[in-house]
Amino acid sequence: MLRARAAWRGFVGGAWHPAVVRTAYRCRAYPDQAQQQVLARTFGCVRVVWNTTLAERARRWQHEHRGTRYAQTDAALTVMKKDPELAWLNEVSCVPLQQALRHQQQAFAAFFGKRARYPRFKSRHGRQCAHYTRSAFSMRDGQLRLAKTPGPLVFVWSWPGVDIGVLAPTMVIVSREPDGRWYVTFAIDASAAAPLPETGRAVGIDLGVTSFLVMSDGKKIANPRHLQRRARNLARYQRRLARCQKGSANRAKARAKVARAHRKVRDARRDFLHKTTTRLVRGHDLIAIEDLNVAGMVRNHRLARAISDCGWGEFRRQLQYKCQRAGRQLVVIDRWYPSTKKCSACEFLLAELSLSTRTWRCPSCRLLHDRDLNAAKNILAAGLAAARGFPGDACGADVRHLEIPPVQSAVKQEPQLARAGIPVPQDGE
């Protein structure tokens, strides 16, 4: 799996261009028995340091109403390593332990910035990982060696076009999934590639459940429904897991089968999203999408599973970094923009439109609209208006450019007037 994130370093020709792109290569790893023992011990130490520090943060805030800085957690880690009962913390590399404290500090910064929820305690049954910086690993001739780990770590490189021998990673992440598979991730800072040639095409996208997306040019991509196709097998494995006694070896095997079933669904969904987003980025210069409140939409218990199976959040994340890497423009329309209830031909605005209504006829121009196609056309119109610098009905705050530095939104907006049907004369008119 390949991920990329642009680091913006300069203002050239009236636009910001990425100078360095942080890219991550994720590969299958095959540690031997001795390496697995060392890495498992490292995972346990990382988990203990994280949970102990998190509990101390909560206790200090509850009783003393005081926050905790990273320097204080780092000093507390030194005290923990000197404790005779926690002397086994010295058996592993100190770098993953310090990285866990840094990640916890970032998690609290995101929480106080209202970008994430409160950090949670780590479980031994979930995904385990350890982060190694340059001082804790060496990469020579394609061989990876980790601190306090015997021998080189065997992994499979899946990118023939990238020379592993000249790769200079800034960080290495070793992880073990709940299904028992091992992975190693290399994070590198590479030079930004040249932007793709212009195509002269723009597209508006409306996401849905029946059709995964509908484009403004009329094309539709069906929803593959990965979870629904494997729901029966997954339910059977979960029933077997529920019958096993807690703490038994059979329960561990059943838990691994459930994790493997979820992994197959996750991999199929990710593969579909990567192929879809790559085609969109390669074929269009401007892509306009709608900002969906996915967290609020999954509160509908009738549609929660179907919405979660679509992966709209991952779709937007992939579109964002691929557009930045390819030099494309991605415009996100505000979630309150009436893309569905607005006529794409005459801009007539309905007052209400139920979710079950899939087609509707405009009372003004009498044009019959497909619900999703009409929304995609309106999203494209709003995106083009924002790209030209004339937001129009969006009032300047209904669209957000995914650019750095970000375009500041308007503070105040004029209320939108809802017009539906034939106006009813009032008294005196």
Side-chain angles (χ1 to χ4, degrees), residues 15 19 23 61 115 176 298 303 342 351:
T23 308
W61 177 259
R115 300 187 305 272
R176 185 186 63 196
V298 295
L303 298 176
K342 184 178 180 181

Side-chain angles (χ1 to χ4, degrees), residues 25 31 79 118 135 159 161 175 180 243 248 264 288 302 314 405 408:
Y25 297 92
V79 176
Y118 190 84
S135 60
W159 291 270
S175 60
R243 298 190 188 105
S248 63
K264 292 179 181 180
R302 295 183 178 181
E314 177 66 11
Q408 184 177 5

Side-chain angles (χ1 to χ4, degrees), residues 53 69-80 98 101-102:
T53 307
R69 300 189 304 272
Y70 168 74
Q72 296 172 327
T73 61
D74 195 15
L77 175 60
T78 304
V79 176
M80 291 172 57
Q98 294 173 345
L101 298 180
R102 292 190 179 94

Side-chain angles (χ1 to χ4, degrees), residues 218-236:
K219 297 180 181 179
K220 297 183 178 180
I221 297 180
N223 186 5
R225 302 179 184 271
H226 301 287
L227 182 60
Q228 181 177 348
R229 291 190 300 173
R230 302 177 184 269
R232 293 185 61 184
N233 290 337
L234 182 59
R236 182 170 67 253

Side-chain angles (χ1 to χ4, degrees), residues 58 133 212 315 332 349 361 374 376 412:
T133 57
F212 177 76
F315 174 79
V332 181
L349 187 63
R361 188 176 296 276
N374 177 71
K412 182 179 179 181

Side-chain angles (χ1 to χ4, degrees), residues 302-319:
R302 295 183 178 181
L303 298 176
R305 177 178 294 183
I307 293 175
S308 301
D309 190 21
C310 291
W312 291 338
E314 177 66 11
F315 174 79
R316 174 173 170 176
R317 187 195 70 84
Q318 292 183 13
L319 265 185

